Amino acid sequence: MKPIIIGNWKMHLTASDVGDYARTFLAEPDILTKAEVTICPAAPLIPAVAGAFSNSPVQWGGQNAHWETQGAFTGETSMAMLSNLGCRLVLCGHSERRKFFHETDEMVSRKVEQATAHSMVPVLCVGETYEQRHQQQHEVVVMEQIRKGIDLLSAFPSLALYVAYEPVWAISTNQAIEPNPSDIIAMARLIRNALREELPTGAESVPILFGGNVNPQNAKKFVDGEVVTGVLVGGASLNPKTFHQIVTQLV
Ligand code: 13P
């Protein structure tokens, strides 16, 4: 299976930066065909990213969208809007959404449902805070995020889902503590077990990704190719050369 590599640009770059980024990133396209690479820019940049990468192996996705199909929600983006721009996946419940925009597990589960209803792959983001790990609550917290996050998926005949385990304390803009890879694999195994318990079928084929200050130096440590099969990259995806190096490390 190809490694899955997702770049989350967060609230960085502008549409004017996309052309140069794409030219640099696509300079060695062969290697990109050996991975499944997706870039998630901020919503207003999606048309530029779609234009720059449409004839390349690189795909694009959304960082977030609302759980309602449409309506009077000023400033929000719908799943239909993302899907219409060719997004193949959408991040749901990123820790920054949970922290700064007070997203609950219930909201996240409705986003996962809406993404699926619009034929995009929901990337369910889970992860505990530093305090929660310190208090030995990390397993309980993450299992709850998984169970509630996929709560509404059983209504769909086929399953398309990724899980991204991003311990909040490992993210570069937080404490950026580098985790022990064995702790990441252990949590990924627990996530797999929870998926087996909750999903009627398909739990074995849900890719589990790791995120948290992934860079070209450490990417390989966290991807064992069996339990963890990809990465969700924030800061290091903003530089096309660095992001390309991460792809090179993992293929
Ligand atoms: P960093 O790679 O900057 O730590 O961000 C991780 C992340 O939050 C990706 O979604």
Side-chain angles (χ1 to χ4, degrees), residues 8 10 94 96 166 170-173 211-214 232-236:
N8 174 9
K10 306 191 179 182
H94 191 280
E96 287 149 19
E166 298 200 298
I171 292 176
S172 64
T173 44
N213 203 17
V214 171
L232 177 53
V233 186

Side-chain angles (χ1 to χ4, degrees), residues 79 90 92 109-122 152-153 156-161:
M79 293 287 178
V90 55
C92 298
S109 79
R110 292 185 65 193
K111 291 179 182 215
V112 167
E113 178 194 34
Q114 276 297 312
T116 307
H118 287 87
S119 306
M120 294 181 291
V121 179
L152 302 174
L153 281 183
F156 294 92
S158 65
L159 177 77
L161 171 72

Side-chain angles (χ1 to χ4, degrees), residues 8-13 15 40-50 60-65 75-78 81-82 85 87:
N8 174 9
W9 285 0
K10 306 191 179 182
M11 198 174 74
H12 293 288
L13 306 180
C40 295
L45 281 64
I46 295 174
V49 168
W60 53 94
Q63 294 176 10
N64 174 49
E76 288 292 321
T77 301
S78 74
M81 293 168 191
L82 293 187
L85 290 171
C87 290

Side-chain angles (χ1 to χ4, degrees), residues 32-214:
L32 302 174
T33 61
K34 297 182 184 147
E36 187 192 293
V37 181
T38 307
I39 290 175
C40 295
L45 281 64
I46 295 174
V49 168
F53 289 100
S54 58
N55 292 315
S56 83
V58 177
Q59 304 178 81
W60 53 94
Q63 294 176 10
N64 174 49
H66 202 272
W67 62 83
E68 293 287 352
T69 50
Q70 60 181 350
F73 299 102
T74 301
E76 288 292 321
T77 301
S78 74
M79 293 287 178
M81 293 168 191
L82 293 187
S83 164
N84 187 250
L85 290 171
C87 290
R88 63 171 294 268
L89 56 77
V90 55
L91 309 183
C92 298
H94 191 280
S95 60
E96 287 149 19
R97 302 286 324 165
R98 294 178 191 259
K99 178 178 174 189
F100 297 119
F101 303 98
H102 312 294
E103 282 187 12
T104 63
D105 286 328
E106 287 71 24
M107 293 174 193
V108 175
S109 79
R110 292 185 65 193
K111 291 179 182 215
V112 167
E113 178 194 34
Q114 276 297 312
T116 307
H118 287 87
S119 306
M120 294 181 291
V121 179
V123 181
L124 172 60
C125 301
V126 298
E128 79 284 358
T129 63
Y130 182 80
E131 291 72 30
Q132 287 164 336
R133 183 162 276 260
H134 196 63
Q135 292 161 4
Q136 304 295 320
Q137 290 299 305
H138 50 293
E139 294 180 3
V140 176
V141 168
V142 172
M143 294 304 103
E144 187 80 348
Q145 290 173 337
I146 292 285
R147 285 198 189 93
K148 290 190 172 159
I150 61 175
D151 198 29
L152 302 174
L153 281 183
S154 53
F156 294 92
S158 65
L159 177 77
L161 171 72
Y162 295 176
V163 172
Y165 173 49
E166 298 200 298
V168 176
W169 44 272
I171 292 176
S172 64
T173 44
N174 299 332
Q175 287 96 330
I177 300 168
E178 183 150 322
N180 192 328
S182 63
D183 289 339
I184 300 304
I185 303 289
M187 182 62 90
R189 283 190 208 285
L190 291 178
I191 291 171
R192 176 77 62 213
N193 284 342
L195 294 172
R196 283 187 190 121
E197 281 167 23
E198 300 297 317
L199 293 169
T201 55
E204 302 304 328
S205 59
V206 174
I208 300 175
L209 320 180
F210 168 71
N213 203 17
V214 171

